[in-house]
Amino acid sequence: MPSATVTCPLCEATCGLRVTVEGDRVTEARGDPEDVFSHGYVCPKGASLPALHHDPDRLRTPLVRRGGSLVEATWDEAFAEIDARLRPILAEHGPDSVAVYAGNPAVHNLSTALYGPALYRAIGTKNFYTAGTVDQIPKHFSSGYLFGHPFSIPVPDVDRTQHLLVLGANPLVSNGSLMTAPNIRKRLRALGERGGKLVVVDPRHTRTTEIADEHHAIRPGTDALLLFAMVNVLFAEGLAEPGELAEHVNGQAEVRELAQPFTPEAVAGPTGIAAGDIRRMAVELARAESAAVYGRIGTTTQSFGTLTSWLVDVVNVLTGNLDRPGGAMFPQPAAAPPASSRPFRHGRWHTRVRGLPEVFGEAPVATLADEIRTPGEGQVRALLTVCGNPAVSSPNAGKLTEALGELDFMVSLDIYVNETSRHADVILPGPTPLERPHYDIALYQLAVRNVANWTPAALESDLPQEWRTMLRLTGIVTGQGPDADVDALDEFVAGDTAKRKGVDPSAVVDRTGPERMLDIMLRSGPYELTLADLETAPHGVDLGPLRPRVPGVLNTASGRIELAPEEITSDVPRLAAALTRPRNGEMVLIGRRHLSSNNSWMHNLEPLVRGSNRCTAQVHPDDAGRLGLRDGGLATVSSRAGKIDVRVEVATELSPGVVSIPHGWGHDVDGVRTFVAAEHAGVNSNILTDEQLLDALSGTAVLNGIPIEVAPAG
Ligand SMILES: Nc1nc2c(c(=O)[nH]1)N[C@H]1C(S)=C(S)[C@@H](COP(=O)(O)OP(=O)(O)OC[C@H]3O[C@@H](n4cnc5c(=O)[nH]c(N)nc54)[C@H](O)[C@@H]3O)O[C@H]1N2
Ligand SMILES: Nc1nc2c(c(=O)[nH]1)N[C@H]1C(S)=C(S)[C@@H](COP(=O)(O)OP(=O)(O)OC[C@H]3O[C@@H](n4cnc5c(=O)[nH]c(N)nc54)[C@H](O)[C@@H]3O)O[C@H]1N2
Ligand code: SF4
Ligand SMILES: [Mo]
């Protein structure tokens, strides 16, 4: 039976899988035991790649809106429609009238990751949005100012650390994020086996807290207070010692000063963590042989996302754990896209309606609806979505959904007609993960071991590769019409990349598309690999454990780690105000992820929805009793932004006062063509999240800690 090796692109873990093909059926995807990084691990989603491939609802032709409904069309008809409708909008209203939203899978897809930037630059719009502003932008922001580059994100050296402090992450379910570490359960178990300690801070009891040595149920949105108090203790106890790093650090005295008000006693009330525990956590971390602090989505998509992301690394630096084995380290990827050599800066421009600063070239998706609905010069009239479902994934989804209906023209690159693409005038589908080559350009930059793995497409596709689709769109927006010469455009893009990377283009003439782009990046990378080298290693190349990279990795103006950049510390007064805010007994909403679910888009696969996903509102028994809520009954949950009815699950894993509803559901809306998902519809929790609540610095949406009211429905 023929089989092939592929790298799974569904989440950040980059597992190697073996897929088996019988005739025209893909019968199985299982973990590849020979993979140098994942060693045979697979999760339910990876195992569902064959189901995704054969899903009858997945699009196999473009769709074009005719007489109000989306009908099948040829590729030529679809591009002709885009040329006819998009060009006039651009010509008449300028580049900002066309917005782009790139979703999460766009990062895990070589075509969109490598050819998206050329298209977005060609459009030239400031209305560029991604799922980053409902996700990790605060970490780019803090890294940008601390280390000079938004992609210099330290990752915990999980395989060597003796003490790991995890805040706002549930890697046993998410399989790790901003930490590429396949089979994280095994890695965390090994930490225990070598006598190390795992401490988890999370308002919910989770699969990760279950295997932890210690769990602290923090009040949502107060992690910055906890970390500041730990910093306070480090100084007070004389434990703030960056060690060998000291000569590369500016701003330590400022941090000491800023931490003064945040004593363990002062933060104990708001965080719900006892002062004695906080003191002990700080001391144990500082005294551990090695330690790493790691924060994820629960720390970025909350009120103090950037301050928390910053303090995570402040603690890493002050305890001497940054950039040393067993601490928090900078990966050294084999291939990286061309990067700016200038130090990071944000706020180079501001959004039209709300005046929010740009970060990393992006505007906050929380304001996309405002930009569509507010008339005036620069108003968004057309939208291109690329692998994204903002109608489900972004805050105040109700308002954004209305706005999507008001656009003059919308194009979606998507493999389904879902809650977002149902609004499109043209949908362009792409091949499945089994029909395209893969190399995880983005995620190897965050891997806990340096690895490189190229896997060719397991199967041929009837659909054009999405890089060709993107170049054809680039042809349209640059006025070359619907039939631009894609190969000539590819030559141009590759030539430009080769020049910026200092690679001789004649060395890569035998390749095209993403293969050539990747070859250029590998050749200019630190290991001087070529794509041909990776082709001889179907299970990947292990480039070894992480190595110290300071000072070379630093790109700040001073050439040092800026521990107290003004751009970040300017938000400390807002945090100090949270110390005295009265606890008025209000209920707050947080999210939740399930193992067999992937944001909003894998609910159409029977093997996954059969599993343990449950779109319920988890409520603590005390709250349920007080509010008259019954397990299995319906509750009405409301916020400033909206109101939903959702099934109640009385659950002891939550702290009182906290309600948890997973995001990514609500599939029973008109026009959606994911028929399995519709039967397991659930409700869209982002109807409740509020587009006005942002992390003040980065504009990232607050998705955890939303004030809500809960009552029995009806
Ligand atoms: N309340 C709340 N909201 C959240 C979060 C939360 O924790 N709580 N998490 C946030 C986070 S971290 C993220 S990343 C976002 C995700 O938000 P989005 O990126 O907007 O949404 P996804 O659900 O990932 O949807 C991906 C879309 O891409 C399509 N797709 C999948 N593969 C391909 C492909 O190969 N090609 C093309 N063209 N399309 C493809 C799918 O059909 C789907 O429509 O959600 C965010 N929203
Ligand atoms: N199975 C599965 N895997 C996924 C995804 C998926 O949808 N399903 N999505 C992928 C994506 S796009 C991402 S970005 C990653 C995210 O990866 P993770 O960050 O590991 O994701 P979550 O499981 O949402 O874990 C976040 C945790 O933060 C907690 N939390 C909420 N608010 C707070 C708070 O204020 N403080 C603290 N300390 N904790 C808080 C929640 O209870 C939750 O346990 O997962 C990726 N992997
Ligand atoms: S953990 Fe992530 S990369 Fe690994 S099989 Fe599951 S979805 Fe794929
Ligand atoms: Mo994400």
Side-chain angles (χ1 to χ4, degrees), residues 7-17 38 41-47 49 174-175 182-183 598:
T7 303
C8 177
L10 296 174
C11 87
E12 301 182 38
T14 71
C15 299
L17 307 184
S38 60
Y41 180 78
V42 63
C43 82
K45 287 180 295 170
L49 280 174
S174 68
N175 282 299
N183 202 351
N598 199 28

